[in-house]
């Protein structure tokens, strides 16, 4: 019996070992680079072009680490004891021969979407004693496997895009074994390059595609490699007036195909057509006559031909077609004013677009990847009864500020086209832009996107990343989440910055960097730097923010002194600039306001605060010059603009001058602010099992929400079924106001609200719904300040501990903190 147990234990140990390929310090493990030789990379020339591209990138990664660059060969050279063999099932003769001979088993990836396997194999082919084999189920799967190996070797996906240079090693060894990827959670995972006018476009014109002075094939090649390193496969190309259309440069779609990237187009670019350039500016060039009105009921002939021609041109490339119609740019579809007639026109548009697919592709329309994006006003048309063919993927949009407006009902979840999400990390528009810094936390991204995935949004995720920089971390998280949604659930999302910091900057700095990012996100949740001009804070809140940012910046400065020289440029881009930029914006705004307050009181120190505000303003400009002109040898010159769209919030605010200081100040009664007690929700004295605490979600340390995202909405008479949390607080007798602050999420769909019930000391229960409709004044206030709220009044008659019980009647409701203030002071 003991012998059997011993054998079983060793079997499981061996199995566990065999499932892992990692860097090794043991010289008897698989050698990639040794003191005397470098293992060559071996591919089949007839394999997909992206396989060669990824293999050459891997060779450069290895050279970056060791100074030795592996050869990338299409034939095995005699005398090579080891090889790194890379190929795609059915496209590489070397892979297919190993499968046929039983050297590798691919039954767990064969026929799957974008799967890959890494496995060490003895005597894989004649003349080779040992090989590390990377095999993909399809061309992207192979490329993902190659870049997965790069990450194992210590190369960050941001190696080029944020200058995250790997640690140098003389030799590289890998443990023997195997690793098999899971099928990605989301089928199409990608980014939208948007609002590129002040960063990506001028930078690309100056530094990359200098021949066309635009975002062209050289820039896109770098972006597509980044996507592959992030296991992304999809793009909405840049489309603002500053940039010519993606298809204008004929090499662009060719490069996309070489990198195996699926090309789509944004919510206002039907049929892969960039209307801002191709209809408004270039139509006459393309067709020899001027375009008539952009209105399908009056100009069907021109518009239909315009769409049909792009369908012809895009044949042979992997594409996802946006169907429907909006304005030429980001506006509503021109047409009848009557809503019912407008819906009928949109239905006709979609019907005709699908006829184009049938004519051009000669296959079932349902096999052509199509999306419908009910963005802004289009959501209202859809909700009013638009008849949408069920094989089209509905791509739900957030409200532009990180909170998804609507998700699928049970009937919509049953559609064959399923659904996806268009989500913003950067935005130009109402109520205010945030194009400068990136400050939406992984916890918020995870909560909203996991909620969407739970409601069936697994077909396509596209993330608006603006200029890519400075949203590198948040973009990386969103695509990691799309690849494996379970790994970074809302419960675990707060741990992501720790893991990211370990692989980006090293384990010895990870805790500190993770803590810096945590506080950076928390402070921004209560007011993004770009939104400070619209927000009012009490003196206490302003002081707390300034102290918070100054302490945070001090931590960043201290750590900077310890970061290795090879990572100094990366640290500046990913940590230093965003934190100091946010601090300086807060100092500029709050010191300017304080100077005016002090001047009105006749206080001469007003001038001191005027000077502090001006210093902060100048320092923002100086740090931006450093970003553009000094780091990485000027590589990023033009990518960072400290004042996108030249908005007022970025300018120097009014400050007090000597002449503003009043010589006499009238006396008056000083109003006292009511004393407030803040109850953080992460420490209830009791809670039901259906509630969970999510760390780093919202402006406090944590928030509470229901675990059952697919659960039901409870009515008042069903309170005993609803999840609850109870809190205790010491209060004196008196009348109080209780404000419950929630994340400004939206109700999941028409079957839900965002209602909580509150009772103090078992007295009368009040029901409050915190949902606010997108684009309303209330919604605007909520997304800028980072919370929605409702208030209740209650009276205490006895001193001591008081109980506050909250029931969460709807899934999707997230409560962040309770604010209690005594009335009548």
């Amino acid at each position: 019996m003991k012998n059997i147990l011993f054998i079983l234990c060793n079997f499981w140990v061996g199995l566990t070992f065999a499932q892992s390929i990692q860097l090794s310090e043991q010289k008897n493990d698989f050698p990639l680079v040794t003191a005397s030789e470098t293992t060559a990379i071996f591919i089949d020339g007839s394999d997909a072009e992206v396989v060669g591209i990824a293999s050459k990138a891997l060779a450069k990664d290895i050279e970056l680490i060791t100074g030795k660059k592996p050869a990338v060969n299409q034939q095995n050279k005699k005398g090579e004891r080891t090889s790194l063999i890379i190929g795609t099932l059915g496209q590489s003769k070397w892979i297919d021969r190993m499968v046929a001979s039983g050297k590798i088993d691919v039954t767990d990836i064969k026929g799957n979407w974008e799967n890959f396997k890494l496995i060490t194999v003895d005597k894989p082919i004649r003349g080779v004693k040992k090989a590390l084999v990377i095999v993909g189920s399809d061309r992207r799967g192979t490329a993902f496997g190659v870049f997965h190996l790069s990450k194992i070797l210590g190369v960050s996906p941001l190696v080029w895009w944020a200058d995250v240079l790997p640690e140098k090693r003389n030799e590289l060894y890998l443990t023997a074994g195997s690793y098999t990827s899971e099928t990605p959670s989301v089928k199409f995972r990608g980014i939208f390059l948007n609002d590129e006018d002040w960063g990506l476009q001028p930078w690309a014109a100056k530094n990359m595609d200098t021949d066309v002075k635009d975002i062209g094939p050289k820039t896109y090649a770098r972006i597509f490699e980044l996507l592959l390193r992030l296991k992304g496969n999809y793009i909405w190309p840049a489309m603002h007036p500053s940039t010519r259309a993606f298809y204008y440069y004929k090499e662009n779609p060719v490069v996309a195909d070489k990198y195996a990237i699926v090309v789509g187009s944004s919510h206002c670019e039907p049929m892969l057509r960039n209307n801002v350039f191709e209809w408004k500016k270039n139509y006459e060039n393309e067709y020899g006559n001027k375009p008539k009105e952009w209105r399908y009921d009056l100009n069907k002939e021109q518009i239909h031909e315009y769409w049909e021609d792009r369908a012809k041109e895009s044949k042979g490339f992997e594409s996802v077609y946006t169907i429907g119609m909006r304005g030429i740019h980001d506006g509503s579809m021109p047409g009848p004013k009557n809503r019912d007639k407008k819906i009928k026109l949109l239905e006709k548009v979609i019907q005709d677009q699908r006829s184009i697919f049938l004519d051009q592709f000669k296959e079932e329309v349902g096999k052509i990847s199509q999306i419908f994006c009910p963005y802004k006003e289009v959501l209202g048309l859809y909700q009013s009864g638009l008849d949408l063919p069920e094989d089209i993927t509905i791509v739900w949009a957030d409200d532009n500020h990180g909170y998804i407006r609507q998700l699928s009902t049970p009937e919509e979840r049953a559609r064959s086209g399923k659904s996806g999400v268009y989500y913003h990390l950067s935005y130009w528009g109402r109520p205010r832009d945030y194009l400068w810094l990136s400050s939406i936390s992984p916890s918020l991204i995870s909560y909203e996107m996991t909620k969407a995935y739970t409601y069936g949004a697994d077909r396509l995720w596209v993330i608006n990343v603006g200029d890519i920089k400075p949203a590198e971390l948040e973009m990386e998280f969103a695509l990691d989440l799309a690849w494996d949604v379970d790994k970074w659930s809302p419960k675990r999302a707060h741990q992501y910055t720790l893991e990211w910091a370990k692989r980006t900057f090293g384990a010895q700095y990870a805790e500190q960097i993770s803590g810096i990012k945590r506080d950076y996100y928390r402070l921004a949740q209560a007011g993004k730097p770009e939104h400070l001009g619209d927000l009012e804070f009490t003196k206490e809140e302003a002081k707390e923010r300034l102290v918070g940012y100054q302490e945070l910046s001090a931590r960043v400065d201290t750590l900077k002194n310890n970061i290795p020289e090879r990572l100094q440029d990366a640290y500046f881009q990913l940590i230093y600039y965003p934190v100091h930029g946010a601090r300086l914006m807060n100092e500029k705004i709050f010191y300017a306001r304080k100077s005016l307050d002090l001047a009105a009181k006749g206080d001469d120190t007003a001038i001191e605060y005027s000077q502090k505000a001006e210093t902060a303003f100048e320092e923002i400009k100086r740090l931006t010059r450093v970003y553009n002109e000094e780091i990485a040898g000027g590589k990023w010159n033009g990518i960072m603009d400290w004042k996108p769209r030249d908005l007022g919030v970025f300018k120097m605010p009014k400050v007090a001058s000597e002449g503003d200081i009043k010589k006499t100040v009238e006396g008056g009664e000083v109003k006292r602010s009511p004393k407030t007690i803040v109850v953080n929700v992460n420490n209830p004295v009791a809670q039901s099992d259906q509630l969970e605490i999510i760390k780093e979600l919202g402006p406090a340390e944590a928030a509470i929400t229901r675990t059952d995202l697919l659960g039901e909405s409870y009515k008042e008479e069903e309170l005993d079924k609803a999840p609850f949390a109870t809190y205790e607080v010491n209060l004196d007798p008196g009348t109080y106001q209780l404000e419950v602050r929630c994340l400004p999420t939206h109700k999941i769909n028409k079957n839900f609200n965002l209602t909580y019930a509150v009772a103090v000391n078992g007295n009368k229960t009040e029901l409050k719904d915190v949902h606010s409709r997108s684009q309303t004044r209330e919604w605007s206030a909520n997304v800028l300040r980072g919370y929605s709220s409702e208030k209740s009044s209650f009276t205490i008659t006895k001193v001591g501990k008081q109980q506050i019980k909250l029931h969460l009647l709807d899934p999707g409701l997230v409560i962040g903190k309770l604010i209690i203030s005594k009335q009548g002071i």
Side-chain angles (χ1 to χ4, degrees):
M1 185 67 181
K2 287 182 179 178
N3 286 336
I4 293 172
L5 287 172
F6 177 79
I7 291 168
L8 285 172
C9 287
N10 277 279
F11 169 76
W12 285 112
V13 168
L15 184 62
T16 303
F17 173 77
Q19 289 177 334
S20 174
I21 290 181
Q22 298 297 331
L23 272 176
S24 171
E25 302 297 330
Q26 303 300 316
K27 295 196 173 185
N28 59 343
D29 279 330
F30 184 82
L32 274 181
V33 176
T34 70
S36 58
E37 61 182 327
T38 302
T39 293
I41 297 171
F42 187 24
I43 64 172
D44 185 339
S46 63
D47 207 335
E49 197 160 353
V50 71
V51 174
I53 289 170
S55 298
K56 290 172 185 174
L58 174 63
K60 289 180 181 177
D61 289 348
I62 292 171
E63 182 183 28
L64 202 56
I65 298 168
T66 65
K68 299 176 182 178
K69 187 177 181 180
V72 179
N73 300 323
Q74 295 183 19
Q75 295 293 331
N76 183 45
K77 294 183 178 179
K78 291 182 179 179
E80 290 184 344
R81 294 185 302 111
T82 59
S83 287
L84 175 50
I85 303 174
I86 299 171
T88 308
L89 275 175
Q91 297 184 50
S92 165
K93 60 180 178 288
W94 310 112
I95 294 295
D96 291 347
R97 284 175 187 175
M98 283 187 281
V99 172
S101 66
K103 292 290 183 180
I104 57 173
D105 180 5
V106 295
T107 54
D108 50 354
I109 69 168
K110 188 176 181 179
N112 292 346
W113 178 263
E114 298 178 347
N115 276 191
F116 62 86
K117 173 178 279 192
L118 278 65
I119 184 168
T120 50
V121 181
D122 292 327
K123 299 179 181 177
I125 55 178
R126 182 177 295 176
V128 177
K129 288 185 178 181
K130 200 173 190 70
L132 173 61
V133 178
I134 301 175
V135 54
S137 62
D138 51 31
R139 61 177 182 159
R140 273 190 298 275
T142 306
F144 293 155
V146 172
F147 287 120
H148 183 79
L149 177 58
S150 278
K151 285 181 79 171
I152 290 173
L153 299 178
V155 178
S156 165
L158 303 175
V159 60
W160 193 86
W161 276 93
D163 304 292
V164 182
L165 301 180
E167 185 178 1
K168 297 289 186 182
R169 290 172 174 265
N170 294 322
E171 298 180 314
L172 286 174
Y173 293 89
L174 292 166
T175 57
S178 70
Y179 172 83
T180 303
S181 72
E182 298 290 335
T183 299
S185 300
V186 178
K187 185 173 184 179
F188 296 110
R189 311 166 305 280
I191 60 174
F192 178 22
L193 306 174
N194 196 211
D195 308 318
E196 68 275 11
D197 317 49
W198 301 275
L200 189 64
Q201 198 281 336
W203 169 79
K206 185 184 293 186
N207 301 284
M208 299 295 290
D209 291 281
T210 54
D211 52 341
V212 296
K213 292 182 170 40
D214 203 354
I215 301 174
K218 295 186 184 74
T219 308
Y220 276 114
R222 283 293 185 184
I223 293 168
F224 296 154
E225 181 183 314
L226 173 65
L227 275 173
L228 293 176
R229 288 181 182 272
L230 295 171
K231 295 188 177 76
N233 61 8
Y234 179 64
I235 194 165
W236 285 0
M239 46 73 73
H240 258 228
S242 63
T243 310
R244 292 183 182 90
F246 183 78
Y247 266 85
Y248 179 77
Y249 302 111
K250 299 308 175 186
E251 197 179 341
N252 279 348
V254 175
V255 171
D257 189 56
K258 287 179 179 179
Y259 281 81
I261 297 300
V262 182
V263 176
S265 55
S266 74
H267 51 83
C268 56
E269 299 175 279
M271 303 294 284
L272 299 180
R273 278 290 196 177
N274 176 340
N275 303 317
V276 172
F277 179 77
E278 294 186 285
W279 182 268
K280 221 174 169 184
K281 294 182 180 179
N282 200 55
Y283 185 93
E284 190 172 0
N285 246 358
E286 187 175 345
Y287 289 97
N289 54 74
K290 291 184 182 296
K292 298 174 186 175
E293 189 175 359
W294 179 254
R295 182 166 165 167
Y296 198 70
D297 54 343
L298 303 180
N299 189 23
K300 174 182 173 179
E301 185 179 347
Q302 271 193 338
I303 296 172
H304 190 279
E305 180 187 25
Y306 171 74
W307 287 338
E308 188 174 42
D309 287 346
R310 181 51 43 80
K312 291 176 186 175
E313 189 177 4
S314 59
K315 272 199 264 188
F317 300 129
E318 279 191 273
S319 307
V320 173
Y321 296 89
T322 298
I323 57 93
M325 188 174 182
R326 294 187 72 215
I328 288 178
H329 191 40
D330 190 0
S332 62
M333 178 184 73
K337 292 184 179 179
N338 177 275
R339 176 166 285 233
D340 290 339
K341 290 181 179 179
K342 200 161 205 172
I343 289 171
K344 289 297 179 189
L345 177 59
L346 186 54
E347 289 174 348
K348 174 62 176 168
V349 164
I350 294 169
Q351 179 185 335
D352 288 355
Q353 288 168 338
R354 286 163 67 81
S355 294
I356 290 172
F357 295 143
L358 194 60
D359 292 342
Q360 293 302 317
F361 296 104
K362 309 299 182 187
E363 61 178 313
E364 290 180 32
V365 176
K367 292 182 179 178
I368 308 298
S369 295
Q370 304 156 65
I371 63 170
F372 173 75
C373 195
Y375 183 64
K376 292 185 177 177
E377 81 291 336
V378 183
L379 179 59
L381 298 178
Y382 175 75
Q383 290 170 333
S384 296
L386 177 78
D387 184 16
L388 189 70
E390 76 146 27
D391 56 79
I392 295 170
T393 300
I394 300 174
V395 177
W396 302 112
D398 70 340
D399 62 0
N400 306 311
H401 291 264
Y403 308 100
I404 298 171
R405 290 180 64 184
Q406 179 177 323
L407 292 168
S408 299
T409 63
E411 296 76 24
E412 288 163 336
R413 293 205 298 277
R415 298 174 70 258
S416 60
K418 305 185 84 172
S419 65
V421 180
Y422 167 40
Y423 192 84
H424 288 77
L425 297 177
S426 174
Y427 177 62
W428 170 358
R430 294 185 57 208
R432 283 289 179 261
D433 308 358
Y434 54 102
L435 297 174
W436 180 37
L437 302 178
S438 179
S439 56
I440 293 181
S441 73
S443 289
L444 177 55
I445 298 168
S446 175
Y447 184 78
E448 288 295 291
M449 299 303 268
T450 300
K451 181 172 64 177
Y453 185 83
T454 303
Y455 277 81
D458 64 357
R459 187 61 60 88
L460 181 147
W461 288 7
V462 60
I463 313 298
N464 187 324
V465 297
D467 300 307
I468 296 176
K469 304 178 75 64
E472 298 99 331
L473 187 162
E474 297 78 23
M475 171 183 64
E476 189 172 348
F477 174 75
L479 291 176
D480 279 350
L481 184 69
W483 179 262
D484 185 354
V485 75
D486 293 327
K487 184 175 181 180
W488 298 112
S489 67
K491 192 81 172 173
R492 291 197 67 246
H494 71 280
Q495 298 173 356
Y496 183 83
T497 52
L498 181 63
E499 181 173 302
W500 177 86
K502 283 179 182 176
R503 66 174 184 254
T504 305
F505 292 102
Q508 64 269 49
Y509 312 112
E511 288 280 358
Q512 294 175 74
I513 289 173
S514 179
I516 287 166
K517 295 304 294 185
R518 177 192 64 230
D519 291 340
Y520 171 76
Y521 292 131
R522 176 181 55 79
L523 287 163
Q525 176 66 30
K528 287 180 169 59
E530 298 94 334
H531 298 163
L532 292 178
D534 292 276
L535 294 169
E536 292 295 328
F537 296 89
T538 66
K539 290 179 181 179
E540 293 79 10
E541 287 170 336
K543 182 178 180 181
E544 186 179 322
R545 283 179 69 82
L546 285 172
V547 169
Y549 271 117
Q550 287 161 355
E551 289 178 349
L552 186 59
S553 295
R555 285 154 55 194
V556 168
D557 290 344
T558 300
L559 183 57
K560 185 178 186 297
N561 296 328
N562 299 322
I563 295 293
E565 183 60 33
R566 66 183 169 86
L567 292 171
Q568 282 290 330
D569 288 340
Y571 187 78
F572 184 91
Q573 294 167 66
L574 298 170
I575 309 297
Y576 190 94
Y577 184 85
V579 170
H580 277 284
R583 169 186 63 85
L584 291 163
M585 182 67 91
N586 277 264
E587 288 182 346
K588 182 189 77 172
I589 298 289
F590 291 127
Y591 286 151
R593 289 178 183 174
K594 188 165 185 176
S595 76
L596 295 172
D597 288 344
L598 291 171
K601 296 174 183 176
D603 191 329
D604 290 337
T605 60
I607 303 306
E608 177 187 336
Y609 286 96
S610 297
Q611 292 168 346
K612 285 183 176 182
E614 289 166 350
T615 298
F617 176 60
E618 293 301 323
E619 183 65 4
I620 290 171
K621 292 192 281 185
R622 188 192 72 80
L623 284 181
T624 306
R625 284 195 297 273
V626 171
Y627 200 126
N628 286 324
E629 298 172 15
E630 296 181 22
I631 62 165
K635 171 182 173 180
W636 299 111
N637 196 2
I639 197 75
M640 185 56 62
D641 190 328
W642 59 269
K643 52 179 179 54
R645 290 220 296 143
D646 205 25
L647 295 179
V649 70
F650 297 116
K651 297 176 181 178
M652 184 62 209
K654 178 175 171 54
V655 294
S657 64
E658 293 285 355
D660 294 320
I661 300 174
K662 291 190 177 181
K663 302 306 178 186
T664 59
V665 181
E666 294 181 6
E669 182 183 353
V670 177
K671 292 185 178 179
R672 295 167 57 194
S673 300
K675 182 182 178 183
T676 60
I677 297 171
V678 178
V679 180
N680 288 319
V681 297
N682 55 333
N683 290 309
V685 295
Q687 71 177 82
S688 54
D689 293 339
Q690 298 89 355
L691 286 186
E692 63 181 347
I693 295 168
I694 307 295
K695 292 183 179 178
E696 299 178 25
L697 182 60
E701 293 177 5
I704 58 165
T705 190
R706 285 172 53 169
T707 58
D708 57 335
L709 284 169
L710 288 171
E712 60 184 298
S713 177
Y714 295 106
K715 297 181 173 58
E716 184 173 8
E717 58 270 23
E718 300 174 302
L719 276 185
D720 57 327
K721 297 180 183 178
F724 72 89
T726 304
Y727 300 90
E728 287 186 347
V729 60
N730 285 306
L731 296 174
D732 295 328
T735 300
Y736 293 85
Q737 178 180 272
L738 170 64
E739 181 183 10
V740 178
R741 291 188 178 178
C742 305
L743 213 59
T745 56
H746 297 267
K747 61 183 182 180
I748 290 171
N749 56 45
K750 64 183 180 181
N751 298 328
F752 298 94
N753 299 302
L754 284 177
T755 302
Y756 68 85
V758 59
V760 179
N761 293 332
N763 293 321
K764 182 183 176 183
T765 299
E766 288 188 75
L767 270 63
K768 299 286 185 179
D769 187 353
V770 294
H771 179 256
S772 60
R773 195 162 49 85
S774 184
Q775 306 303 315
T776 62
R777 183 177 295 179
E778 181 184 18
W779 163 83
S780 296
N782 291 346
V783 294
L784 293 179
R785 68 189 183 181
Y787 67 87
S788 56
S789 75
E790 285 289 341
K791 297 173 182 176
S792 309
S793 294
F794 63 93
T795 301
I796 299 298
T797 57
K798 293 182 181 179
V799 68
K801 285 185 179 179
Q802 319 296 331
Q803 277 202 346
I804 301 171
K805 190 172 186 179
L806 296 170
H807 284 90
L808 282 70
L809 275 64
D810 288 286
L813 173 66
V814 183
I815 297 178
K817 65 170 67 171
L818 313 180
I819 311 289
I820 301 170
S821 53
K822 195 168 186 179
Q823 304 301 291
I825 296 178

